[in-house]
Amino acid sequence: MKSKFLFLLTSVFCVSILLFGVSGAFAKDTFTFWTWGNPGFFQDGFERMQVAYPQYKVVESTFFVAGGDTEELIQKLLVGWVAEAWDSLPDVCECPTPYIPMFADEGVIVDLTDYITPYADKLAPSTLAGISRGDRIVACPFSPGTSMLWYRKDITDTAAVDMEAIETWDDYIDAGKKITASGERYMLALHVTYPNDILIQLMLGQQGGAGFFDPLTGETVVDTSPAMKKTFEIIAKMGEEGIALRTDGWESEWYAALENGTLVTYPSANWWDQEMKFDVAESEGKWRAMQIPAIEPGGCRGGLESGIASVVAMAKPGINMDLIWAFMEHSFLNAEIAMELDKVWALSPAYLPAFENSYYDEGDPYYGGQNIKKLDLETQKIAGCMQYTADWGEVMYEYMYIAQMQVLGGRSVEEALKEAADLIRENIGTSF
Amino acid sequence: MKNKHDIWTRIWGYRAAYLFISPFFILFSIFGVFPIGFALYLSFVKWRGFGAMRWVGLGNYVRLFGDDRFWLSIWNTIYLWSGHIFIMLGMALILAVILNSAIKMRVVYRTIIFLPTCAAVVAMALVFKFIYQYQWGILNLVLTKVGLSKIPWIASTEWSKISVILFNIWTDTGWYMIIYLAGLQSINPQLYEAAKIDGANTLKQFFYITIPSLRGIIFFTFIVETIWALRIFTHPYVLTRGGPENSTLVATLFLYKNAFQYLRFGYAATIGVALFVIVLAISLIQIKLGKKWAEQ
């Protein structure tokens, strides 16, 4: 009796193992997507694609938040990639722009040149630059981080500062002096424990898409680039003139300062328009937006913050490129769908024809009826994207941070950038 | 040859016993030995994770010894260790002695002091970050109320280390207090009674009975806390991210940044190996010096 029971138990166990092992053979088509942001946006796009492409109706999709930030997502990708655990890796993944060069060079992502080229003329030049590696297009864009200067109109009016008259960063600093004269307000925040990466990206972007390295030789240009010098001179001046509150962004103190009017402006990107409605909801109707000031009179008034929000196809074995492209094209390179997705999820499209819809003629009550979307479109067309390389993160968060703290502490821009460049040469060498 | 054959025969004879203990060794090999060996190998290569590994020999070590940030991180780690260990263990001992005496509500006090040990460090660090804020932080609010000026607790290179030290003391004192309490309760009360009869006051009892009786435990806590302090990560990571200007960049944070932010796994492994050697050396010195003292 006992041996019969053991035999039965062993048989059940063996059959279970066998079924588990062959279950993959009966599996349906699957699609996995990773993001660090809102998976609902991508899932919505995918489901709309399934309606348009009935052959993909049976595809089982998973939209997974692979971490609270880009770092965590990259770490998870890395572990899966190194272990060659292809099943655990996504088919498509949201990709931070600074990682695109490395992923493209190492063959981690699929070359999308043939797919996206027909749409290239309907993307802003900066968008195209951000998703390209050399002459290859390696990512599908869905929302560029177009620069915006957010400001408190009620406070600037009271201080008799005409924000629309501000043309250059020097004008901005002069206006800041008026604002801070009361001793209770600051024009902007400058971070303490990490660099003012947004300001640096925007300013380098608006100076012809400069970067930390020479794209041809890979040598650092941190101490030789006029764009870098100018950027640091402006930040140093902001510190010298006392117009900046020294606090880290995204902390409770910073949110409170935005809400109570201690901080009067915030140079940032387009996606902040929705964040503001939740994070500083009480100051509804008091905020407005304008293009960021130019470096020199008549100069470019647009840059990109963190490049372009885009998705990449992972170059893992067995991917279904037809399905992947159907998702990308239908969701992000289709004027109607891109607009519909923006309507629901508030992410300004990268695909410019989407802006032709009358939805983009409407003003936003939170911004006193101002049409933020039109401003976004105008800026997107002229914005520059800074050049990203594989070592971007280390340069920005290590050497640029220290250099910036030094110039804010009174050290000369030339000296600080020379020291940073020497450290980059010593620790990184060349970077492409 | 014969000996080898004998060994295998004996192993085969005890095969059931080896089979039963094998899961530990298999798991330890996979999750313990292999990562250590792989980390050692990584320290001789340049590798970003996604691409191919490039053998650089001792290149990473040469770079490490010339890297000012590494030495700064070691200095910061030692600073944070020396800044808190004596104060914290001293406070824990004093609190343990007080709460071992017959004071009212001592269980409540013990619980309150031990409570920070039970809470998640990350959550507490976020709360402390709020307390330390310059503009509207609770600590500065109190300072301004009593007529003092605000302090940039985590926003200045001068105060950031002190802020991390204070937070560390707050989180860990309760833990060591409990260990000392356990030790105090194992001391024979007759020693104190005899001392009292001999006319020893409380202070003398403390220095001539309590401290000598707790030598072994004090030595143990000192070693354990030193090892923990050399591995400190969460406190500075959440509070300051190593800033401002790397003033709270500790060795483990430097390792983390290189590995997971800059994807320099070879260099990060080199930092790990160097840190291991440093911790080992300090621990051996401590054991050598402390053993005599503990055995007295």
Side-chain angles (χ1 to χ4, degrees), chain B residues 8-23 25:
Chain B
W8 284 113
T9 314
R10 277 165 62 193
I11 288 173
W12 182 248
Y14 290 108
R15 61 188 180 278
Y18 281 115
L19 195 68
F20 279 115
I21 62 167
S22 63
F25 288 100

Side-chain angles (χ1 to χ4, degrees), chain B residues 125-146:
Chain B
L126 291 172
V127 172
F128 262 75
K129 207 170 180 178
F130 188 72
I131 291 169
Y132 282 145
Q133 277 178 1
Y134 183 74
Q135 284 285 37
W136 300 293
I138 298 163
L139 213 50
N140 277 347
L141 199 71
V142 173
L143 288 178
T144 47
K145 286 277 179 211
V146 296

